[in-house]
Amino acid sequence: TQILFVPGILLGGDIPLHACPTSRSVSWFLEGILPLAPFGKEPLQVSFSGVTDGTNEVDASCDYFKSTLFVLMEQFGIGSEHERDLLSLAPPSLRIVRRGAAPDGGGLIELYCPNVRTELKSIDYTDPGLIKRIRGSAISTKLVSTSQTARVAYAAKGILHRLLPDVWIHTDAHTMTNHQCGPSPSLSVVLTAVSTTGVVLTCECTR
């Protein structure tokens, strides 16, 4: 993969829609944009359409990015509480408007990233700490019965409760009714563990 970069000004701003090919997940494009987005002239707001789920073997899902990279960005001071109070900027966010599983896609997400106005903070990740809580989602698209989603959440909680009591996994079932998801079926689970020192660990599995 090659990229041609011409030095200039990163403008940011509002981009109505960018249609991503279904050969890669939307998160593949986020991976290239997020390191540059905070340094634009204006806050970046852009919508992406394409595959949002079902490609974790090659690309992380949008839920993975939402629970890891956005937490890390706030720890660096991007969209921190100080900047929000001082400059009236919202924190970085990723909103999944419509889910679209591989291979046909059909999903839609909205990305917002504020620009950096102050110095970035340093972070210390040398101490992983101890896991204090686990949060997650069991996600399905275009399945006949939503009971399969509940079974995934229940099975995951049964294993994790052996480790600690603070475990919460909610179900997120989407159907074709009212255009809630794309035409491809999928079933996945995304789990995020938070440690006592603020370290975030995320894993996911898709069928």
Side-chain angles (χ1 to χ4, degrees), residues 50-68:
V51 176
T52 62
D53 297 89
T55 61
N56 66 310
E57 293 183 356
V58 291
D59 297 317
S61 67
C62 296
D63 298 272
Y64 186 99
F65 272 67
K66 188 175 181 179
S67 58
T68 53

Side-chain angles (χ1 to χ4, degrees), residues 27-119:
S27 59
W28 186 81
F29 296 87
L30 294 177
E31 190 174 357
I33 290 175
L34 283 177
L36 301 174
F39 304 102
K41 186 177 180 181
E42 300 291 339
L44 177 65
Q45 187 167 353
V46 56
S47 298
F48 294 93
S49 64
V51 176
T52 62
D53 297 89
T55 61
N56 66 310
E57 293 183 356
V58 291
D59 297 317
S61 67
C62 296
D63 298 272
Y64 186 99
F65 272 67
K66 188 175 181 179
S67 58
T68 53
L69 289 186
F70 286 83
V71 175
L72 191 62
M73 291 171 70
E74 289 197 44
Q75 291 179 351
F76 274 113
I78 301 171
S80 62
E81 291 185 7
H82 173 70
E83 285 198 346
R84 296 202 294 267
D85 296 338
L86 184 65
L87 304 170
S88 300
L89 294 175
S93 64
L94 181 66
R95 177 171 172 259
I96 302 175
V97 181
R98 183 176 63 251
R99 292 191 179 273
D104 296 324
L108 179 66
I109 69 167
E110 294 178 351
L111 168 69
Y112 173 79
C113 182
N115 56 338
V116 176
R117 302 291 182 89
T118 59
E119 293 183 0

